[in-house]
Amino acid sequence: MSQEAPGIELSTSLGYLLKEAASALRSEMEAALRPLDMTITHYSCLELLAQRPGLTNSELARGAFVSRQAMNVLLQSLESDGLVSRAETPTTGRALPTRLTASGKQQLASASAAVRSVEDRMRSRLAPGDDEQLTRLLSSCIAALKG
C-alpha cells in the first residue's frame, strides 16, 4: 500500500489565499478604472510618477510589474495624451526621466479615488486595527521572500 504525500489544503494555503485576494482585487480595480478609460498599469504608472517624479522607463516598468517594452508603449500613449512629459534629451546616460503634467495629476486624482474605494471595501470586514496588522504581516512576508 503506497501513501501519497499530503497535498496543500487550499483553504489554509497562504500562497493560494494571497493569489485569490490579488485576483479579486485586480478584478475590482479594473472595474473601477474602466469608466475612467484606464488600466491598472496606466494607473500604476501615474501613481508611481506622482510619488517619485523623474522615474525612468525601466524604473516605471519594475514598479508596475510590466516589461520595459510594455511601459515604453504606455509612456508614448500617455505622452501623446498630454498626461506625462519626458525630457527631449537624457540628463545622464540614456534614460529619459518622466513627469506628470497637470492633466496627468487630474486624471490620477480621479483614479486614486476609485482605487481607494476598492481598497476601503476590501478592508471593510476587518476589525479596527487589523488593517495595520495586515500591512505589517504582508510586509514581513515580502521581506522574508526577498531575503
Side-chain angles (χ1 to χ4, degrees), residues 8-44:
I8 293 175
E9 179 60 42
L10 295 180
S11 65
T12 59
S13 167
L14 183 57
Y16 187 81
L17 290 170
L18 284 171
K19 183 64 177 171
E20 191 173 11
S23 179
L25 177 61
R26 182 173 189 86
S27 177
E28 292 302 309
M29 284 177 62
E30 286 172 349
L33 292 169
R34 193 172 299 118
L36 303 173
D37 199 27
M38 292 179 73
T39 65
I40 292 172
T41 305
H42 179 149
Y43 162 73
S44 296

Side-chain angles (χ1 to χ4, degrees), residues 39-114:
T39 65
I40 292 172
T41 305
H42 179 149
Y43 162 73
S44 296
C45 180
L46 297 182
E47 191 68 67
L48 284 164
L49 286 171
Q51 294 182 28
R52 298 181 219 142
L55 289 178
T56 64
N57 177 44
S58 294
E59 292 165 330
L60 287 166
R62 278 191 297 278
F65 306 103
V66 297
S67 70
R68 287 181 299 169
Q69 295 81 1
M71 183 54 68
N72 192 47
V73 170
L74 175 61
L75 285 174
Q76 289 173 1
S77 174
L78 295 175
E79 191 172 22
S80 71
D81 291 344
L83 302 175
V84 301
S85 63
R86 293 195 278 182
E88 294 287 326
T89 58
T91 53
T92 59
R94 298 183 334 184
L96 297 175
T98 308
R99 297 197 180 280
L100 284 180
T101 63
S103 295
K105 290 175 184 176
Q106 286 178 332
Q107 189 175 74
L108 176 59
S110 299
S112 293

